[in-house]
Amino acid sequence: MIDFIQMIVSGVATGSTYALMGLAMVIIYKTSEVPNFAQGDMALVTSYFAMMLLTTMNMSVYLAFFLSFVFAAILGAFLEFAILRRAKEPNILGMIVITIGIEMIILGFVSWKFGGEAKTMPFPIGPYDGFIIGDIYISKLDVLTLVSALFFMIVLYLFFKFSKLGLAMKATQQNSVAAQIVGIRTNRIMMMTWGISSLVGATAGLLIAPTVMQPFMMWDPMLKGFAAAVMGGMTSLPGAVIAAYMLGIIENLFGGYISIEFKTVVAFVIIVLVLCIKPSGLFARHYVKKV
Amino acid sequence: MKKKLMFVLFVSLTFLLSFTPALFAEEGVTDTEIHIGQWGPQTGPAAAWGAIARGSGDYFKWINANGGINGRKIVYHMFDDGYNPAKTKAGVKELQEGTGIFAWASGVGTSPGLAVKDYLGKKNIPWVGPAAGSKNWVDPPMKNLFATYPLYEGEAKALVKYAIETMGKKRIAIAYQNDEYGKNGLRGALAELKSHGMEAVAQVPFEAKDSDLKPHIMKLRQAKPDMVLLWVTVTHSAKIVGISKAMKFDTQFMATSTCSDFPLMTYITKGAWQGVICATFAQLPGSGYPLLTKYKKEIFDKYAPKGERWGLFYYAGIYFIEPMIEAMKNVGRDLTREKFITAMENIKGFKGIGPEVNFAPYKKGDMYCRQGTSETFLVECLEGGKSKQLTEWMSTK
């Protein structure tokens, strides 16, 4: 029984990281219908930026994190402005390929600039600090990640539902020409979306970095976050978060009781199943564009 | 007319003679240069091991600064394969067929190495010191391939033997990477357990890109082992030990030589690596071993780029290819691949910064004619990344 509860707790903890990545991907998808495969590496470079501020410039953690969030937002906005917006006659496939290209460029840059050796980022909470409650281990970092994921989910949900800017973002996704006609500056909206998304994804990176940092650290969370976003319906923020927690728990239970060897592939089996059975995802309302 | 003919003949002869050294010289060897190639991941999942290729590069610079090899300088061609076998194969072919490489030095990784093993073998291009302890290099042996990294299987045997015979461990679990690297360690550990009439209480595979390791650790914990052998990546090893300690899963951890860079492991585990026992293949950084101290002073301090760390991986890049330099020196001016291979085969009792190196003339079915090292020693990580040598060199055969 202890093991079962531990698996659920660990699943929720892992799901929190997936949730942050999933949320970040959904935000961009909601406005542009483009899954951003550079999401993980945008978080990666932000984490290394924070590490640089902390170690070479000896900044306090709070200031370094604040500046890193600013950096993440600017990076996201810059990538949209400087690269994606420049694409000629863009279609979704082309945009996806561009995001993959950005991913490779950032990964190469991080490896070149910071090296491939494993590092760990100084942080007030140690990577292995935690509580033991009745033989169940709960990591403090995992709790912080959980709180961050839920915080972003609620804030973003309210933002998209009630704020003018959020509604403008939704309008841009649903019909960008109509949005422009009613006075929405869709280019600016897209840029802001990338900035916000980058900031949310960076939170996941910054919370992974205190354990171990290396250039490939965001690959698995990004893929699993994407899987969660697909499962949740790609446009639903609560959907992505709930799916991320489901994914984390299913992975853990599958690893614990069925096969540890195939634990990693469970996420992708789920994607295939969801796409076959309910292509719009488990939590999104099926939206059909009208001519 | 006769004069004209003589002139034409003289010019033709001079022209032909000017090409004579090139016609008879070995590929990758000129009058003044020897071209050596190496791949090494500077990016990608194994970039931490990229220091090996950089260490080799600085070693060559030092050799060149000290007069080179029999009047020739080494020209080093290193490329970043990102630990991607497809890139390794493309890069090796491009350099071999474009530039012309005399021999290949080291090269990180079992999978990247396997991608070019047959290509180099078919052309009989010498390759010395692959940076992985895989049995694939020498079983079956190939004429051109000389291994200097002690076999992972042997390391695993030495660790398990020490755990059982010296520490009295009875319940041994194995955490291994689900690829050729991990399976080499798994095979060695299982063989040693079998020789003691024992079985592993758990065998838990890890995928290299797994980020959530708690389910794996719980699997290990369920088996209640008194020793866990780790044959996974550096980052996975660090996470396993760190999380296990936090989960109060108190057991003895032992690990492969790839995790024996204690200052690094201590840093990334925030001290949790203390008490872990590793096999290792070269003298320890703080051992005061004269040759290692010399390398530090004359190679690392002088040639290493800013930000490089004097760690195990860096000087492993020197250790793996010390016999290569020795053999090239022994050949003399008339450097050909055939003569170089014979010189490698004649290396006996060679001692650099690692175990003793011995090769033998090629014999089909005898892997030890090409596996030059069969020794390891065990070290324990102490506080602050310091190390304590637990054994002398142990045979891994």
Side-chain angles (χ1 to χ4, degrees), chain A residues 2-3 6-7 10 13-14 18 51 108 111 116-122 127-128 132 135 137 142 210-212 214 216 219-221 252 255-256 260-261 263-264, chain B residues 42-45 47-48 176 178 204-205 207 209-212 214-216 218-219 221-222 234-235 238-239 242-243 246-248 264 267-270 272 309 313:
Chain A
I2 297 269
D3 280 339
Q6 180 73 69
M7 278 177 210
S10 301
T14 314
Y18 300 166
M51 176 77 172
S111 301
E117 200 162 76
K119 294 177 175 69
T120 167
M121 191 172 77
Y128 309 116
I132 299 270
D135 276 356
Y137 168 69
D142 288 344
T211 309
V212 179
Q214 57 167 0
F216 257 68
W219 184 245
D220 190 54
N252 271 258
I260 197 86
E261 210 161 351
K263 172 188 156 283
T264 310
Chain B
Q42 305 304 306
T43 54
Y176 66 97
N178 198 9
V204 180
E207 296 301 325
K209 283 178 180 160
D210 276 346
S211 58
D212 172 27
K214 289 192 196 91
H216 305 78
M218 284 159 62
K219 272 262 178 224
R221 190 172 72 168
Q222 280 165 1
V234 166
T235 46
K239 280 186 180 179
I243 296 170
M247 288 172 91
K248 308 274 179 228
L264 173 72
Y267 162 61
I268 60 173
T269 58
K270 311 253 181 193
R309 193 173 59 84
F313 297 146

Side-chain angles (χ1 to χ4, degrees), chain A residues 33-130:
Chain A
E33 293 190 332
V34 174
N36 174 20
F37 288 104
Q39 199 76 58
D41 290 276
M42 286 159 66
L44 175 80
V45 73
T46 306
S47 307
Y48 273 89
F49 178 76
M51 176 77 172
M52 191 176 76
L53 297 180
L54 286 165
T55 54
T56 57
M57 302 177 94
N58 292 320
M59 273 185 197
S60 75
V61 171
Y62 302 103
L63 182 60
F65 268 49
F66 172 74
L67 291 177
S68 301
F69 283 129
V70 172
F71 171 83
I74 293 172
L75 173 75
F78 171 78
L79 289 174
E80 193 283 327
F81 175 78
I83 302 177
L84 282 116
R85 200 182 291 180
R86 310 292 148 196
K88 275 191 179 170
E89 296 171 25
N91 57 34
I92 292 186
L93 185 65
M95 296 300 245
I96 291 172
V97 172
I98 290 174
T99 67
I100 294 172
I102 295 172
E103 184 259 324
M104 288 175 175
I105 292 168
I106 297 177
L107 182 64
F109 170 76
V110 168
S111 301
W112 165 76
K113 173 79 183 126
F114 301 100
E117 200 162 76
K119 294 177 175 69
T120 167
M121 191 172 77
F123 194 66
I125 302 172
Y128 309 116
D129 291 353

Side-chain angles (χ1 to χ4, degrees), chain A residues 239-281:
Chain A
V241 173
I242 295 165
Y245 287 120
M246 281 171 63
L247 193 61
I249 293 168
I250 292 169
E251 263 193 342
N252 271 258
L253 292 176
F254 188 89
Y257 293 112
I258 302 170
S259 164
I260 197 86
E261 210 161 351
F262 293 101
K263 172 188 156 283
T264 310
V265 298
V266 169
F268 307 103
V269 172
I270 291 173
I271 289 188
V272 173
L273 288 176
V274 168
L275 289 176
C276 289
I277 299 164
K278 198 166 183 294
S280 57

Side-chain angles (χ1 to χ4, degrees), chain B residues 184-203:
Chain B
N184 267 277
L186 177 71
R187 274 195 293 272
L190 292 176
E192 187 63 27
L193 283 168
K194 199 176 171 193
S195 74
H196 286 82
M198 294 164 73
E199 278 182 8
V201 293
Q203 298 174 37

